[in-house]
Amino acid sequence: MEINKVHSDLKEIYKDKNVDKKFNFTFEYEDGDEKFLLMKLLKKGYWSVMPFAFSADNILAFQLNPNKERFQDTSIVSFNNTYQECFMISPNVKGIIPLTNLIFMHKEYFRKRLQDTIDEIILSSKPFFDYFGGGDLEFFKEFLLSESNQQRFKNAEEHKENFYKEFWSHYYNTPENTKAFELFDKLIQRLTYLPEYEDVDHDYGLWNNYIGNVLAQRAYSKIKIEDKDKWKHYWRCAQLPHGFDADGNRFEEYTIHLGWSNSILDSIADSFDSEWESKYAMFPEEVKKHPLFEATEAIRKVGGYAGDLHIKAAVILEKEYNDPIGCWNALLSASYWAGRQGDLDFVEMCWGLAIDLSRTHGWTEIHNVLSEQMEFYYHYKDKI
């Protein structure tokens, strides 16, 4: 049994074709038990992603998004087998081959190999892009071979962050991406800079989760800034789906550096302590009464927190707040905390509620993927 149709189709298309050195990922995990690795992902609570490939011991997957009608239009994350969390690696399927290769572009040997084999890579990529309905590597080829870049390649280490920005600006050419990198520049230029919440209260598209985590973490680190000037950053972070894009860096570069969501949330959850009056008072009444407030408070106060109050919050957000996206995010957060504690009952409960939610709101593609992957999970649950 395969985890989903997309993965099984790609495995069949590329059967007996070694593309690892061309794509920097492969569709069959060749270094061990593929199903064991996939089951680890699901048991950690990440039923909300759709795996399709492997990069070393990491899993590449589409992040299912209720705001997108097709999974092809959603961002691609890497489930890191060491951190056991997910990190955005590409804005869409059209950018995944260039961006997985960009990781090593500063290495001369790797770059030279790409330059020598780019036409072979393009030929190998055609079935991949045909399967997903379009895409090409012309930008990638131009980047590798253009005369203007050869000088930069001599100091590729120095330019790798600019390369990253250029790739994202090409494959995610949106106003949201432009705003995100404008904010990143300010954060990089002044490591002590924390913007007023109102100055950055924007929709950053695919960067929303990352920026929410980064600003909450920076707010927490600023000891001299009063909590009343931090709480909005904390509250935005608390409402995001936990377990995605937790940067452990002080934000000195564009590239997402790996970190742990529980570290960020454990820090800011201290401010949600209803018994600590000096901190509790900074939140307005509508925030204190919001179901996610109590759930965030529990992260720090409840030993071995497994997400039960996030499940409760998800139900309230759907039934009383008429907020299906908020409900979805709360279920992802609940599943993250349950997965950290190895509480499969709660992981499965979140998963089942997400299937019901997707059916209720007509998220047909998400409903189908969640249901298909649940069959895979229960088939191997007691075997792996």
Side-chain angles (χ1 to χ4, degrees):
M1 176 177 285
E2 301 292 343
I3 192 167
N4 60 60
K5 186 177 185 303
V6 171
H7 183 219
S8 61
D9 286 349
L10 289 171
K11 285 170 71 173
E12 184 61 30
I13 290 169
Y14 283 95
K15 186 177 181 180
D16 300 326
K17 298 175 183 176
N18 189 351
V19 296
D20 191 17
K21 290 184 178 179
K22 297 182 176 72
F23 296 173
N24 205 27
F25 60 82
T26 185
F27 302 107
E28 292 197 53
Y29 182 60
E30 299 172 350
D31 296 328
D33 188 336
E34 178 176 295
K35 290 180 172 56
F36 176 84
L37 193 60
L38 291 170
M39 283 299 291
K40 176 190 268 191
L41 169 82
L42 297 177
K43 287 181 177 181
K44 282 295 177 181
Y46 286 95
W47 40 260
S48 61
V49 303
M50 186 174 73
F52 70 92
F54 306 92
S55 180
D57 289 336
N58 305 324
I59 299 171
L60 302 185
F62 293 93
Q63 183 174 1
L64 301 179
N65 185 343
N67 289 316
K68 301 287 185 180
E69 292 185 7
R70 308 184 316 149
F71 68 82
Q72 291 97 322
D73 300 324
T74 65
S75 59
I76 292 176
V77 297
S78 173
F79 175 75
N80 184 275
N81 195 38
T82 300
Y83 284 78
Q84 298 186 6
E85 296 203 10
C86 283
F87 303 90
M88 185 167 61
I89 193 170
S90 174
N92 48 51
V93 72
K94 294 179 180 179
I96 187 60
I97 295 174
L99 279 159
T100 51
N101 278 285
L102 185 64
I103 295 169
F104 302 104
M105 195 69 69
H106 59 289
K107 297 183 178 181
E108 184 179 0
Y109 166 79
F110 187 85
R111 188 174 61 252
K112 184 69 165 58
R113 190 180 73 190
L114 288 171
Q115 290 171 329
D116 291 343
T117 61
I118 184 59
D119 287 332
E120 295 176 37
I121 297 171
I122 289 172
L123 186 63
S124 296
S125 72
K126 191 174 185 309
F128 179 76
F129 289 126
D130 286 347
Y131 179 80
F132 288 111
D136 59 61
L137 296 180
E138 291 308 313
F139 172 81
F140 189 39
K141 180 176 181 178
E142 173 66 17
F143 174 81
L144 285 168
L145 303 181
S146 70
E147 290 185 16
S148 60
N149 272 342
Q150 303 316 304
Q151 191 64 35
R152 291 202 296 172
F153 289 154
K154 292 178 182 179
N155 298 295
E157 182 74 37
E158 177 185 329
H159 293 287
K160 68 178 185 178
E161 287 298 303
N162 289 329
F163 296 159
Y164 184 82
K165 180 178 181 180
E166 288 166 22
F167 274 55
W168 269 89
S169 297
H170 176 79
Y171 289 105
Y172 187 45
N173 184 16
T174 64
E176 292 80 9
N177 189 70
T178 301
K179 284 188 292 187
F181 276 95
E182 287 172 353
L183 174 59
F184 297 159
D185 285 335
K186 292 177 182 177
L187 295 172
I188 292 168
Q189 288 162 10
R190 283 179 52 205
L191 297 182
T192 59
Y193 172 67
L194 177 68
E196 295 284 337
Y197 180 84
E198 286 68 24
D199 293 337
V200 291
D201 184 20
H202 304 299
D203 177 12
Y204 295 99
L206 299 179
W207 292 108
N208 278 335
N209 219 77
Y210 180 51
I211 287 173
N213 286 328
V214 163
L215 292 180
Q217 187 164 258
R218 184 165 285 202
Y220 182 78
S221 70
K222 302 304 168 193
I223 299 173
K224 295 182 179 179
I225 297 177
E226 294 185 28
D227 285 338
K228 65 181 180 64
D229 297 317
K230 299 180 179 183
W231 76 264
K232 290 182 180 179
H233 293 299
Y234 291 168
W235 181 230
R236 172 160 56 187
C237 181
Q239 296 174 84
L240 297 170
H242 304 162
F244 293 89
D245 298 331
D247 193 319
N249 195 31
R250 290 187 63 217
F251 208 89
E252 299 168 354
E253 298 177 328
Y254 299 134
T255 311
I256 297 176
H257 289 254
L258 309 190
W260 285 280
S261 285
N262 72 299
S263 178
I264 297 173
L265 271 298
D266 187 64
S267 296
I268 71 170
D270 194 41
S271 296
F272 289 75
D273 188 343
S274 58
E275 296 177 3
W276 194 343
E277 185 56 36
S278 62
K279 288 183 177 290
Y280 184 67
M282 70 180 171
F283 293 101
E285 284 303 312
E286 63 267 25
V287 171
K288 295 176 185 176
K289 293 177 181 178
H290 195 283
L292 282 176
F293 189 97
E294 182 185 17
T296 307
E297 179 183 15
I299 292 170
R300 187 67 177 265
K301 293 186 73 173
V302 177
Y305 179 64
D308 56 313
L309 288 177
H310 276 87
I311 297 175
K312 175 184 173 184
V315 173
I316 295 172
L317 286 167
E318 166 68 357
K319 292 185 176 180
E320 298 181 18
Y321 282 68
N322 191 29
D323 182 4
I325 301 299
C327 174
W328 171 263
N329 288 344
L331 288 174
L332 267 60
S333 294
S335 194
Y336 167 74
W337 295 105
R340 282 189 57 80
Q341 295 301 319
D343 192 324
L344 295 184
D345 288 341
F346 276 177
V347 168
E348 293 161 12
M349 183 184 297
C350 294
W351 198 340
L353 288 170
I355 288 175
D356 292 342
L357 183 72
S358 61
R359 181 191 301 113
T360 298
H361 293 282
W363 305 337
T364 304
E365 196 165 80
I366 289 178
H367 179 270
N368 292 341
V369 172
L370 294 181
S371 301
E372 183 179 19
Q373 294 189 167
M374 181 175 271
E375 289 183 25
F376 174 90
Y377 169 82
Y378 278 117
H379 182 78
Y380 290 107
K381 177 183 175 183
D382 297 324
K383 300 174 184 177
I384 298 177

